[in-house]
Structure formats: structure tokens, C-alpha cells
Amino acid sequence: NAGVTQTPKFQVLKTGQSMTLQCAQDMNHEYMSWYRQDPGMGLRLIHYSVGAGITDQGEVPNGYNVSRSTTEDFPLRLLSAAPSQTSVYFCASSSRGLSRHTEAFFGQGTRLTVV
Amino acid sequence: GDSVTQMEGPVTLSEEAFLTINCTYTATGYPSLFWYVQYPGEGLQLLLKATKADDKGSNKGFEATYRKETTSFHLEKGSVQVSDSAVYFCALDDYKLSFGAGTTVTVRA
């Protein structure tokens, strides 16, 4: 069972470069989200989507862009990488709909370093 | 806005010791509460949840009770094992999932 798949697992970028972090899920979940994990700060929500064609900003959206053209995929784009974007990025999905009770499934993470 | 505060780590214990990790929350609505666990090199996975006041969530020997009067959801385990070494996150879901900072737990044999 694939669940939530993130690629790549590791990436080093130079300041100013752009890249896309890929996220795909095979559980037909409507709700997908991106978080960044930094030491001492837990997970902070970057962007989320409640279905194909619908996205919204989370807590820390600046410098990131998302789109959701299919139910399965939710890529995260770094427009011009900065050292402050060095972090571990997690994609998550859930079948929540209007429910707050459902489990979120996480990918294994992408460790990004910006030099 | 909604927020979660959990006890800072790291926490180091011996095998068979009692573990408790404190978690308190602030929310305007009636959130569901969760504990997620992250093992080394992996993503987060659900450990347990509670969806309303006085509910007790339990899994793998861990327990937590949703206390609305104290806005708390403390995690406990009576006898930890080396395999319980991980980072534990308290979270609330009030239509957005908000996480605490995480508590690193190391259990020594």
C-alpha cells in the first residue's frame, strides 16, 4: 500500500533556485496539506487543499506556491529558494470532508537544504 | 487562534518507567485531539485520538483523556520500552490541524 508518497527524499538547492516537491496519494482523499518541520516549532501548515481546484494558505505560505489539478497530486513549489526555507517538508492527506475526526496520513518527508 | 502547548523535551527514561507528556490547548470551537508519533527517519503516524470531552483514546499501551475543564490531553504510558523512543506530537483539529512543538522521548535499556 503506497499511501502518501513524497519525492525527492533529500534535496540541496542554491539560493534563488526554484523547485517542486512532489506529493501523491492513492487513497482518494479530498484533503491534502503541506507542513514544514523545524526544531522546537513542531509542524507548521504551509498550504492546504480541500479538493481538486481548491487551495488555501496556511500559517506560513510566503515563498511557496501550490495547485491541485487532480485528487491524487498536490505539488509544492519553491519560487526562489532562501536559506530560511531549509527544513523538513511533510505532505499529508485525509478523508476529512467536513469532519474533524479523521486521521491524517503523512508522507516520509523531504529534507531540503538551501545553501 | 487555535494552539497547542506541550511539554518540552528531551525526555530520557529507563525501560519500564512511567511516561507522561503534558499537552494543553487553546481553541475557540470544540476540536478533536490527537497524539501523533514520529519514529526516526519516518513521517508522522496517528497514535490515538479523542473526539469529545471525557473521551479516552488508547493504543499500544498509551492513553490520553480529553479534559475540557482543564483544556488538556496528557499522554501516559505505564511501562515504556526501547521501541517507544520517538518524537510525540500533540495536535488539535478544529477544521485545521495544529501541532505542538513535539517532545523527543528516548528510552534506555
Side-chain angles (χ1 to χ4, degrees):
Chain A
N1 293 336
V4 179
T5 303
Q6 287 183 239
T7 55
K9 286 189 168 52
F10 301 95
Q11 183 70 49
V12 178
L13 288 179
K14 293 182 179 178
T15 297
Q17 285 185 316
S18 63
M19 80 159 294
T20 299
L21 279 62
Q22 301 291 344
C23 176
Q25 52 93 7
D26 62 358
M27 297 172 283
N28 202 31
H29 287 168
E30 320 88 74
Y31 189 92
M32 296 185 74
S33 51
W34 277 101
Y35 293 87
R36 57 178 290 172
Q37 182 182 23
D38 300 294
M41 304 188 76
L43 277 75
R44 293 181 291 169
L45 182 64
I46 304 171
H47 284 286
Y48 66 98
S49 169
V50 299
I54 307 169
T55 63
D56 205 350
Q57 296 181 350
E59 184 184 353
V60 288
N62 292 340
Y64 307 96
N65 204 358
V66 292
S67 60
R68 182 102 178 265
S69 56
T70 67
T71 300
E72 295 77 20
D73 300 300
F74 191 45
L76 178 72
R77 296 182 188 83
L78 279 69
L79 309 171
S80 176
S84 60
Q85 294 178 304
T86 294
S87 187
V88 180
Y89 292 84
F90 287 99
C91 178
S93 77
S94 68
S95 62
R96 55 189 302 170
L98 291 178
S99 171
R100 298 162 296 146
H101 310 317
T102 57
E103 175 182 358
F105 293 83
F106 285 81
Q108 292 208 321
T110 296
R111 184 174 294 275
L112 175 69
T113 302
V114 182
V115 298
Chain B
D2 296 346
S3 66
V4 177
T5 302
Q6 66 181 98
M7 116 189 206
E8 292 187 18
V11 175
T12 303
L13 302 164
S14 298
E15 241 181 349
E16 300 183 4
F18 183 86
L19 170 68
T20 182
I21 304 176
N22 290 339
C23 171
T24 57
Y25 68 90
T26 302
T28 52
Y30 299 94
S32 293
L33 301 175
F34 302 82
W35 278 99
Y36 281 84
V37 59
Q38 183 182 31
Y39 298 105
E42 297 185 10
L44 281 71
Q45 55 186 273
L46 180 66
L47 181 59
L48 54 83
K49 71 177 184 182
T51 59
K52 61 182 186 300
D54 300 324
D55 266 2
K56 177 185 283 188
S58 61
N59 187 25
K60 299 182 180 180
F62 289 89
E63 292 184 343
T65 301
Y66 190 141
R67 301 286 187 201
K68 194 167 186 296
E69 64 275 14
T70 55
T71 61
S72 65
F73 193 54
H74 305 320
L75 182 69
E76 296 180 337
K77 185 173 186 181
S79 177
V80 294
Q81 305 301 313
V82 172
S83 58
D84 293 324
S85 298
V87 183
Y88 293 83
F89 292 91
C90 186
L92 72 81
D93 192 345
D94 198 5
Y95 299 104
K96 284 184 186 177
L97 195 54
S98 300
F99 289 88
T103 302
T104 301
V105 173
T106 302
V107 180
R108 294 183 175 169

